Amino acid sequence: MSNKNYLEIPLINYIPLNSYVSLTSRFRKKLFRILVKKFTIANLAKLVGAHRSSIYDWKKGRVRVPLSKIMRCIELAGITKDRLFNSITSLTALYNAGAIRIKGWKLLLNEELVEWLGLLKGDGYVSRKYVGCTNSSLPVSLFFMRILEKVFGIPKANIEITIEIPPNQRNKDITPLVKLLNTKGYKRIIKRKRNKGKKVLLSSRVNSKVLAQLLRNILKDLHQFINSSPLDVKIAYVRGFGAAEGSPYEVGSVRAISFSNKDLDELLFIKNILHEIGIIRIDNPEQDNKGIYKLKITTQPQLRLFHEIVGFGRNKRRNKKLASILKGYKKILKRVEYRSKYERYSQILNIIKRNKVATAKEIALEINISYTWTSTVSYTHLTLPTN
């Protein structure tokens, strides 16, 4: 574990058993040396559930081995799973497509990876064999592809980028973008004309069935992992999700940030993290006529707190938009000092115990926070949340 106590996920229980593995030469030779001493090739084939010719091919390292079969082999040889996974060089699905290479076959849930996972939950998708993301921000798309390379060992040559061109632009207008992507090593670029929209969209994806299956398994437990992580990691998740699904806007006198998604549970999870940061004045998500839920942050102190602590990550356009909205306020309220939800509630309870009766304005004045924050708290039924 690192100094920040990042959570480390061993992938032994998340990698699909129908994957195919490449082993280090040293481990492979030692494994089959043990097996051949214990069993004949015919008996070994019967115990593993494979043809004798397959056993010969695995022994010589001619082909990749199904993970389910190699797990049976190490069981017969008396070798641990940890030792096996330390000797796997790459994983792929059948037909050797979309191989992945993960250091130590463990994922360290640091801020960078969790921000990427937040982006994946927002603008990304995981299908049966594809993992991809569609966004209008070049820095966001480059970040998505960089993590595919850095963490999962996907080579640039396997990443396909589709540039979707809106009706108001010509193909030659995106020539500088294509050249930039080429200079960064991305050669598989497809240009496609869209029938609507005003922005150029970048859709990057990789064809890797084994990565898609691995991520689907991890995403089932993702909220549990993030809840067990440090606060900085939780904030990074909101940052990545906001780069995809967050939107600062200003309509008349209304200034707000809106998070949109069809998954209500995901927005409620984001809301809980924002509460931990101290962003309390958030209405419950509302569903529009298209079935999309919206979670909104309003009031100047809350927007400033989001801007200073969270932000929209690599989405520079949205960061600038929020900064511009905040500059539009005629009166700049005193900066809200950061306190966790637990600390805020503790302060309020102490004031109530001491004064017995206290108005929301009196509490706001004493703990140096906006009245709009304290006015949302029901003091008569207030209890301390668990840490």
Side-chain angles (χ1 to χ4, degrees):
M1 286 294 234
S2 69
N3 293 333
K4 274 202 172 184
N5 294 321
Y6 293 130
L7 196 64
E8 195 172 58
I9 307 173
L11 298 180
I12 292 176
N13 297 323
Y14 292 94
I15 291 173
L17 286 174
N18 60 354
S19 307
Y20 285 70
V21 303
S22 290
L23 302 169
T24 62
S25 176
R26 184 177 178 180
F27 177 83
R28 173 176 51 79
K29 289 177 181 177
K30 186 171 184 178
L31 170 64
F32 283 98
R33 195 182 304 129
I34 295 171
L35 291 172
V36 169
K37 283 182 180 179
K38 286 187 172 184
F39 312 99
T40 64
I41 294 295
N43 285 339
L44 180 59
K46 194 172 183 179
L47 289 168
V48 173
H51 197 274
R52 281 181 295 178
S53 62
S54 297
I55 301 293
Y56 279 114
D57 287 339
W58 300 343
K59 183 172 176 289
K60 296 292 184 182
R62 293 171 183 160
V63 296
R64 294 173 183 261
V65 189
L67 181 58
S68 58
K69 304 299 184 186
I70 204 68
M71 294 283 272
R72 177 61 176 150
C73 286
I74 65 166
E75 182 185 345
L76 293 170
I79 295 174
T80 64
K81 290 182 182 180
D82 286 337
R83 194 170 172 189
L84 166 65
F85 273 79
N86 286 332
S87 304
I88 294 175
T89 57
S90 67
L91 277 168
T92 186
L94 191 59
Y95 307 122
N96 197 24
I100 60 173
R101 298 164 182 84
I102 301 174
K103 186 177 180 181
W105 300 102
K106 295 176 181 178
L107 287 181
L108 188 67
L109 287 185
N110 55 25
E111 289 94 338
E112 187 176 57
L113 177 58
V114 170
E115 184 177 340
W116 184 86
L117 289 168
L119 176 63
L120 181 68
K121 287 287 284 185
D123 276 345
Y125 60 90
V126 181
S127 66
R128 191 175 67 87
K129 63 177 183 177
Y130 286 103
V131 176
C133 176
T134 302
N135 198 281
S136 61
S137 168
L138 177 60
V140 168
S141 296
L142 291 175
F143 169 66
F144 182 82
M145 293 185 286
R146 182 167 63 83
I147 298 300
L148 284 175
E149 300 162 36
K150 178 181 173 181
V151 177
F152 301 104
I154 303 292
K156 283 184 170 71
N158 288 1
I159 297 176
E160 177 186 287
I161 303 171
T162 300
I163 304 175
E164 300 185 24
I165 309 165
N168 62 343
Q169 293 196 32
R170 298 166 297 177
N171 282 8
K172 68 178 185 178
D173 293 335
I174 63 163
T175 301
L177 175 59
V178 174
K179 288 182 178 179
L180 175 63
L181 291 170
N182 284 334
T183 59
K184 291 185 177 293
Y186 301 106
K187 306 297 182 182
R188 296 181 61 188
I189 299 175
I190 301 168
K191 291 181 281 186
R192 182 181 297 156
K193 199 75 175 176
R194 293 164 61 203
N195 295 325
K196 58 182 181 179
K198 296 181 180 179
K199 295 179 181 178
V200 173
L201 295 180
L202 286 170
S203 181
S204 50
R205 71 175 188 175
V206 60
N207 181 352
S208 176
K209 189 174 182 179
V210 67
L211 177 59
Q213 290 176 320
L214 173 63
L215 286 173
R216 277 201 301 272
N217 292 339
I218 291 172
L219 289 175
K220 292 174 185 176
D221 295 331
L222 182 59
H223 288 181
Q224 178 185 334
F225 292 143
I226 293 174
N227 278 331
S228 303
S229 297
L231 183 59
D232 287 347
V233 172
K234 296 177 183 179
I235 291 171
Y237 184 75
V238 178
R239 189 177 295 128
F241 187 82
E245 301 285 39
S247 177
Y249 67 91
E250 182 177 11
V251 180
S253 61
V254 177
R255 298 172 176 89
I257 294 171
S258 175
F259 294 90
S260 304
N261 203 273
K262 289 184 178 181
D263 187 347
L264 176 60
D265 290 337
E266 187 65 36
L267 289 182
L268 292 175
F269 182 69
I270 295 295
K271 181 181 178 181
N272 287 337
I273 297 176
L274 292 172
H275 274 192
E276 286 192 55
I277 299 167
I279 299 176
I280 305 296
R281 192 170 175 78
I282 311 173
D283 295 330
N284 286 324
E286 297 179 353
Q287 190 176 27
D288 63 17
N289 54 11
K290 294 182 180 179
I292 297 173
Y293 292 95
K294 294 183 183 295
L295 180 72
K296 295 180 182 179
I297 301 173
T298 57
T299 78
Q300 185 186 158
Q302 306 286 274
L303 294 174
R304 288 193 184 281
L305 197 56
F306 183 90
H307 179 61
E308 293 171 11
I309 296 178
V310 187
F312 294 102
R314 268 72 179 179
N315 200 319
K316 296 180 180 179
R317 190 184 300 118
R318 287 178 184 168
N319 283 325
K320 288 180 180 177
K321 178 76 178 291
L322 179 56
S324 175
I325 287 173
L326 291 172
K327 285 181 181 178
Y329 280 104
K330 292 180 181 179
K331 180 183 178 183
I332 305 298
L333 295 180
K334 189 172 181 179
R335 182 183 180 278
V336 177
E337 188 178 354
Y338 169 74
R339 289 286 186 276
S340 69
K341 180 171 66 173
Y342 185 87
E343 290 175 297
R344 290 287 187 207
Y345 283 9
S346 296
Q347 288 178 316
I348 294 172
L349 275 177
N350 288 334
I351 294 169
I352 294 172
K353 286 176 183 177
R354 186 182 70 237
N355 299 343
K356 294 186 178 178
V357 177
T359 66
K361 287 185 178 179
E362 289 171 342
I363 293 171
L365 183 63
E366 183 159 342
I367 66 175
N368 183 30
I369 196 167
S370 171
Y371 162 68
T372 56
W373 192 97
T374 57
S375 64
T376 63
V377 182
S378 177
Y379 307 115
T380 54
H381 299 93
L382 187 63
T383 57
L384 279 178
T386 57
N387 262 326

